[in-house]
Every structure is written in C-alpha cells, then in structure tokens.
Amino acid sequence: MINDKVGLNVLQNIGKGDIIQMRVMDERHTNDLPIQKTPDSTALNFAELMNRALQKVNDQSVTAEKLQQQMISDPTSVQMHTVTIAAEKARMALTFTKTVTDLAVKTYRDLVNLR
C-alpha cells in the first residue's frame, strides 16, 4: 500500500499516459550516473548507444595492442598476465560485438523480407 503523496500521484497518472518521474531514494540506485533533473530529458537514442559501445570495444583493443607493444619493447615494464588479460578482454568484446551485429543484421533482413 502506498502512503505518500508521490506514490498516489504516480498511481493516478499511470492511466493518463503521462511521463512518470521516479524518485531516487538512495544515490547508489543511479550507479554513479548524474541524475537528470528535467522531465523533458530523454534516453540516449539507439545510434548514440551503439557508438559508445563500439568506442569502448575499440578502446579495449587499442589498450591491448599498446600493452603488447610495450611488452615487446620493454618486457620488465609490464607483467605478462596483464597483457594476456587485456588481449582476452579485447577478443571477447570484439566477438560479442560481432555476434550482436550479426543478429541485428539477420533480424533486419527477416523484417524486410517479412511478407
């Protein structure tokens, strides 16, 4: 049972199709992301989300490559397991990205060919 005014407001607005603002009770609920203050703010669109994800995958690959080059040029400056872990993270991220991309393309083709 909801006892506070905000809870009742939320329940009254559900059927109207309004945008419902949720209250943050604890800062840990936002995963250290800034809390959006305006009700008109929207979520990232899909293209921006994909670009950020691809940039992270690219950053992991670049980091792994730099560690490998550093291991070759100065073996005492970096530990072997650090290089191996970075290379494996980059490989896994790239494999996951390729899988998601392949599924997205397949889904798009299925939708286009749907008759």
Side-chain angles (χ1 to χ4, degrees):
M1 179 167 208
I2 299 175
N3 293 327
D4 60 337
K5 280 184 171 181
V6 174
L8 290 174
N9 257 354
V10 168
L11 287 178
Q12 291 170 353
N13 288 333
I14 286 178
K16 296 178 184 179
D18 293 342
I19 296 174
I20 300 170
Q21 288 293 318
M22 302 298 292
R23 229 176 13 166
V24 176
M25 302 298 290
D26 190 344
E27 292 297 322
R28 294 176 293 175
H29 294 165
T30 62
N31 292 331
D32 298 326
L33 296 174
I35 299 171
Q36 296 178 349
K37 301 292 183 188
T38 61
D40 296 330
S41 63
T42 57
L44 294 175
N45 63 26
F46 185 71
E48 289 176 10
L49 184 67
M50 288 303 293
N51 282 335
R52 287 184 181 182
L54 291 173
Q55 185 61 43
K56 286 181 182 180
V57 170
N58 186 48
D59 291 345
Q60 285 183 338
S61 294
V62 168
T63 301
E65 188 174 334
K66 284 181 181 179
L67 284 172
Q68 288 172 355
Q69 290 174 356
Q70 185 178 354
M71 183 71 172
I72 292 169
S73 63
D74 187 16
T76 59
S77 66
V78 64
Q79 296 180 356
M80 183 62 185
H81 68 273
T82 305
V83 176
T84 305
I85 291 171
E88 189 61 23
K89 281 183 181 180
R91 186 193 65 79
M92 287 176 59
L94 189 60
T95 301
F96 182 72
T97 302
K98 184 181 180 315
T99 302
V100 170
T101 304
D102 290 345
L103 287 173
V105 169
K106 181 185 179 302
T107 302
Y108 175 76
R109 285 183 184 156
D110 289 346
L111 288 174
V112 168
N113 293 328
L114 190 64
R115 293 177 194 232

